[in-house]
Amino acid sequence: MRLLITTDTVGGVWRFSQELTRGLLDAGCAVAMVSFGRQPSASQLSECQALTHQWSEQFRFISTDIPLEWMQENWRSFDEGAPLLEKTIREFGAELLHTNQFCFGAVQIGIPTVVTAHSDVLSWGRACRSGDMEDSEWLRRYRKLVQRGLDRADALTAPTVWMLQALGEGFSLPSEKRVIPNGRTLPAPGKRVRRLQAVTTGRLWDEAKDVALLEQVRSPMPLVLAGDTEYDGVRSGMMTGVSLLGQLNEEEIVRLFEESTAYVCTSRYEPFGLAPLEAALCGCAVVARRIDSLREVWGEDALYFGNAEELSQILTRLYVDAAMRADMQERAYKRARRYSRERMTKHYLELFTMVTTRTREAAGVA
């Protein structure tokens, strides 16, 4: 099967699409990937160059700085992105478009379209803001772009039941919809010296990640934050009691996780959470905010907190209780291995095959 996949270079969608692309290539598919949001970083370009070197003509990467539909200049998103996708579909001979942006569900060029919902502005607003989001031309455009993409898509997926239901509170959804958890495959944790430290990742300015909560935590275990500290050219300030490492590449993040004891997910809005999954695969215990989506992903294999005081108590217990640390690390690791690249790819391929077969039958093509 020949597929066109869209991605963005700003958040976790990049890692998701890289994992799925690797799985699809391993399964014999050909993949063209188009990125949006901003030009890729050096490490992101390096990942795609490695795929091109390994898979040659089976993989193609096209980068753009066309804004994402949630960005302020979202009037450009579809009008500039759709013609590029249509051109790539023709040149690559794509049989299906898998878009990780809602708006491109409305691209109509004779092949089926699957949309994956990683998050949306309305459910983000309900989690991060008090009251309804302020009406604006930008928000009206966003609603229109999302709904039009959902209306015209052949199928919709989300990584959790929670995300699917949350999206449905603000938008009408296609009849064909599925929950396919995200997947990540990493080598077994290396034999590094593991420090008694708790790590988290996230953009310092991102309300959804709420990493500022860490400044209220009192823990004998050092707190370490890796993530972007700059947004639109504005650099965020320092954080009291937290070591800031700045933005790290994939190799550096994995090394940090392998050297840490626990991963703290402070997010008040996290439709799935790839970072805690990666950390667990590297041997970290998972300490997560008590929100429905994280409970769905981690069940009883994580420790949960509701405020800074509870988080402080959990980190203190992990610091002093070696048996508890080992137990929670093992439980998180076993749970994380359920969410593999292979399992995710299998479910997406089943959906892609079903949708393309249905489309061909409807068109009377054998």
Side-chain angles (χ1 to χ4, degrees):
M1 185 179 294
R2 299 182 69 81
L3 302 156
L4 173 57
I5 295 178
T6 73
T7 188
D8 80 57
T9 56
V10 180
V13 173
W14 176 265
R15 181 54 49 218
F16 162 83
S17 56
Q18 285 286 314
E19 285 291 297
L20 182 57
T21 293
R22 286 181 169 89
L24 292 168
L25 290 168
D26 285 339
C29 298
V31 177
M33 177 182 289
V34 181
S35 70
F36 296 89
R38 64 187 179 195
Q39 289 296 337
S41 66
S43 63
Q44 289 170 333
L45 278 175
S46 178
E47 286 186 70
C48 291
Q49 289 166 355
L51 286 175
T52 301
H53 177 76
Q54 180 178 359
W55 295 100
S56 186
E57 296 181 358
Q58 292 295 102
F59 175 74
R60 183 183 302 179
F61 177 60
I62 300 168
S63 63
T64 80
D65 59 0
I66 297 171
L68 301 166
E69 60 213 353
W70 54 263
M71 292 179 168
Q72 286 299 318
E73 294 184 344
N74 59 1
W75 67 85
R76 295 172 48 201
S77 302
F78 186 82
D79 290 346
E80 295 183 16
L84 172 62
L85 295 181
E86 292 166 1
K87 179 175 182 289
T88 305
I89 287 167
R90 287 192 298 269
E91 293 177 351
F92 192 69
E95 301 167 77
L96 180 139
L97 168 62
H98 176 215
T99 172
N100 292 288
Q101 291 79 39
F102 294 108
C103 66
F104 298 129
V107 173
Q108 299 292 294
I109 196 170
I111 63 173
T113 303
V114 173
V115 173
T116 293
H118 297 278
S119 64
D120 80 279
V121 166
L122 302 188
S123 61
W124 174 91
R126 291 194 297 272
C128 300
R129 302 283 175 88
S130 57
D132 294 333
M133 295 187 65
E134 183 179 352
D135 184 45
S136 65
E137 183 179 355
W138 161 78
L139 185 59
R140 289 192 294 272
R141 280 196 309 266
Y142 174 81
R143 287 177 180 267
K144 183 177 180 180
L145 285 166
V146 172
Q147 191 59 67
R148 186 174 62 173
L150 290 170
D151 288 344
R152 298 182 182 179
D154 293 277
L156 169 70
T157 73
T160 52
V161 173
W162 181 90
M163 183 66 243
L164 201 60
Q165 293 174 343
L167 183 65
E169 292 182 31
F171 300 96
S172 298
L173 307 184
S175 57
E176 184 62 52
K177 45 190 176 290
R178 297 186 183 183
V179 173
I180 303 179
N182 292 340
R184 187 77 163 98
T185 294
L186 289 171
K191 300 298 183 182
R192 300 184 187 276
V193 176
R194 200 172 290 277
R195 303 170 186 169
L196 273 174
Q197 67 182 20
V199 63
T200 192
T201 60
R203 299 177 290 267
L204 199 58
W205 43 265
D206 189 344
E207 295 172 70
K209 300 301 183 186
D210 195 26
V211 294
L213 177 76
L214 295 177
E215 290 191 287
Q216 305 170 38
V217 172
R218 297 295 175 262
S219 165
M221 190 180 297
L223 303 174
V224 179
L225 169 64
D228 198 349
T229 59
E230 186 173 309
Y231 180 61
D232 279 352
V234 178
R235 183 170 294 278
S236 302
M238 300 297 290
M239 289 182 67
T240 303
V242 182
S243 298
L244 301 183
L245 301 183
Q247 193 165 14
L248 306 181
N249 62 33
E250 181 187 6
E251 183 179 341
E252 291 167 332
I253 285 285
V254 169
R255 185 184 308 120
L256 175 64
F257 289 161
E258 289 184 344
E259 294 174 350
S260 300
T261 297
Y263 183 89
V264 179
C265 186
T266 58
S267 301
R268 65 181 75 180
Y269 177 75
E270 192 67 79
F272 181 85
L274 272 172
L277 175 60
E278 292 175 336
L281 288 170
C282 292
C284 290
V286 173
V287 183
R289 202 171 198 137
R290 195 180 296 110
I291 57 177
D292 290 345
S293 55
L294 293 175
R295 290 285 309 205
E296 180 181 340
V297 173
W298 292 101
E300 299 305 313
D301 298 318
L303 298 167
Y304 297 96
F305 63 91
N307 53 44
E309 182 179 355
E310 291 180 6
L311 176 54
S312 298
Q313 293 170 355
I314 290 171
L315 292 177
T316 299
R317 288 166 57 203
L318 285 172
Y319 184 81
V320 301
D321 191 335
M324 178 187 179
R325 283 200 307 272
D327 179 54
M328 295 311 301
Q329 288 169 336
E330 181 67 15
R331 287 168 62 174
Y333 179 71
K334 288 181 177 178
R335 182 91 174 196
R337 284 177 59 85
R338 301 182 192 178
Y339 301 111
S340 67
R341 176 196 303 164
E342 292 75 16
R343 182 178 179 182
M344 175 180 68
T345 302
K346 174 179 178 291
H347 289 306
Y348 269 103
L349 270 175
E350 289 172 352
L351 176 61
F352 294 162
T353 301
M354 184 275 290
V355 170
T356 53
T357 300
R358 182 184 294 174
T359 300
R360 288 168 179 164
E361 289 174 349
V365 178

